[in-house]
């Protein structure tokens, strides 16, 4: 089961910042939070990940609360091409001692003109 | 630097036939994950492989499905005697690291869309 919860959908105006929330209240101290998105029927696209500190790359910023129980993905200037399903994921252990991504239902972001 | 390559992009099989889906990971990646996405649903983990080893197959159906990642060549997801319920998009992902690699994102291919008629 996914260890994260997200609202099912959100709308955003083109050019505005999109703030996508995620709750992960059961996260462990050494587990990273990952964000992916899936545009239409393409493969999931990696966006960003973080552990404790806020992170920023060319696509987005990730703000993680101090207690690490929630995070927010920020798309600073949303465009129509950012319309997608966004997944907030905490990796879970595999049988082999590694980790895998468990996808929840994600959140559908619609950017409106 | 080529991404994860999956082929074919679309595959149509009649009930009872076999489906073979191929995945070439990114260069330098030796860890491969397969996921299945049914229409209007999220991705479900199927299997995690390293070269010549299956590490976690907890998401694989017990019958008709198998996966391999040989020393040379792509990873193969094989579905025998396909049924209509196997119609789905099958995604492969790869990463350079495995165990303890929380800091290593998976990179996904664009999938193979299997249609069983």
């Amino acid at each position: 089961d996914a260890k994260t919860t997200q609202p099912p959908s959100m709308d955003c105006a083109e050019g505005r910042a999109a703030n996508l929330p995620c709750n992960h209240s059961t996260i462990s101290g050494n587990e990273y939070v990952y964000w992916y998105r899936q545009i239409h029927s393409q493969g999931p696209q990696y966006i960003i990940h973080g552990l404790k500190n806020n992170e920023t790359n060319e696509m987005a910023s990730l703000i993680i609360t101090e207690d690490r129980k929630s995070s927010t993905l920020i798309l600073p200037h949303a465009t129509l091409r950012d319309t997608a399903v966004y997944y907030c994921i905490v990796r879970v252990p595999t049988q082999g001692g590694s980790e895998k991504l468990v996808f929840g239902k994600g959140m559908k972001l619609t950017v409106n003109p | 630097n080529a991404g994860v390559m999956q082929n074919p992009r679309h595959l149509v099989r009649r009930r009872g036939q076999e489906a073979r889906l191929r995945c070439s990971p990114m260069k330098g990646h030796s860890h491969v994950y397969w996921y299945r996405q049914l229409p209007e649903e999220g991705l479900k983990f199927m299997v995690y492989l390293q070269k010549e080893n299956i590490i976690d197959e907890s998401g694989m159906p017990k019958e008709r499905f198998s996966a391999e990642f040989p020393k040379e060549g792509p990873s193969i997801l094989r579905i025998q005697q396909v049924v209509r319920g196997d119609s789905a998009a099958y995604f492969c992902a790869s990463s350079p690291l495995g165990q303890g690699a929380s800091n290593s994102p998976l990179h996904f291919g664009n999938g193979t869309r299997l249609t069983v008629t």
Side-chain angles (χ1 to χ4, degrees):
Chain A
D1 291 335
K3 297 178 68 172
T4 62
T5 55
Q6 301 173 255
S9 63
M10 176 181 289
D11 280 37
C12 176
E14 187 179 17
R16 297 294 188 113
N19 298 311
L20 287 64
C22 179
N23 288 322
H24 31 80
S25 58
T26 61
I27 194 171
S28 299
N30 60 349
E31 290 176 332
Y32 283 75
V33 178
Y34 281 79
W35 282 83
Y36 283 77
R37 71 182 182 183
Q38 189 173 26
I39 298 174
H40 192 45
S41 56
Q42 296 177 22
Q45 177 188 23
Y46 166 75
I47 301 174
I48 199 168
H49 71 285
L51 181 63
K52 296 179 183 178
N53 300 320
N54 298 337
E55 302 287 344
T56 295
N57 62 22
E58 65 279 3
M59 290 184 68
S61 295
L62 176 61
I63 309 298
I64 302 174
T65 57
E66 194 168 340
D67 64 8
R68 303 212 323 120
K69 292 185 176 182
S70 65
S71 60
T72 301
L73 178 75
I74 301 173
L75 307 179
H77 304 287
T79 71
L80 300 179
R81 288 178 293 180
D82 292 322
T83 292
V85 177
Y86 286 76
Y87 296 96
C88 169
I89 302 167
V90 173
R91 288 168 80 153
V92 299
T94 67
Q95 292 177 345
S98 184
E99 296 172 333
K100 62 191 178 189
L101 299 176
V102 177
F103 286 78
K105 295 182 184 297
M107 188 200 79
K108 177 65 185 295
L109 173 70
T110 302
V111 180
N112 300 306
Chain B
N1 185 18
V4 177
M5 303 300 293
Q6 291 189 248
N7 67 82
R9 287 297 307 275
H10 301 275
L11 181 61
V12 180
R13 285 287 178 265
R14 292 196 186 96
R15 280 180 297 171
Q17 291 184 320
E18 178 181 288
R20 292 172 68 89
L21 287 61
R22 296 175 185 77
C23 169
S24 296
M26 288 181 70
K27 186 176 181 180
H29 290 193
S30 58
H31 300 263
V32 166
Y33 302 74
W34 285 93
Y35 286 77
R36 175 166 66 174
Q37 187 172 33
L38 296 172
E40 307 302 324
E41 295 189 11
L43 282 83
K44 301 295 184 186
F45 169 79
M46 298 182 75
V47 62
Y48 160 43
L49 310 103
Q50 294 176 23
K51 287 282 188 181
E52 300 184 279
N53 285 305
I54 296 175
I55 306 302
D56 181 355
E57 54 182 347
S58 59
M60 287 277 273
K62 299 299 181 190
E63 297 178 349
R64 302 187 298 108
F65 285 71
S66 62
E68 63 178 9
F69 189 17
K71 186 175 180 181
E72 302 291 338
S75 175
I76 306 288
L77 179 67
R78 182 183 178 202
I79 311 172
Q80 295 177 290
Q81 299 176 314
V82 295
V83 300
R84 287 212 172 117
D86 297 332
S87 294
Y90 292 83
F91 292 99
C92 169
S94 72
S95 72
L97 302 173
Q99 189 166 353
S102 291
N103 197 21
S104 177
L106 303 189
H107 296 272
F108 284 81
N110 277 326
T112 293
R113 276 144 193 86
L114 173 65
T115 302
V116 180
T117 60

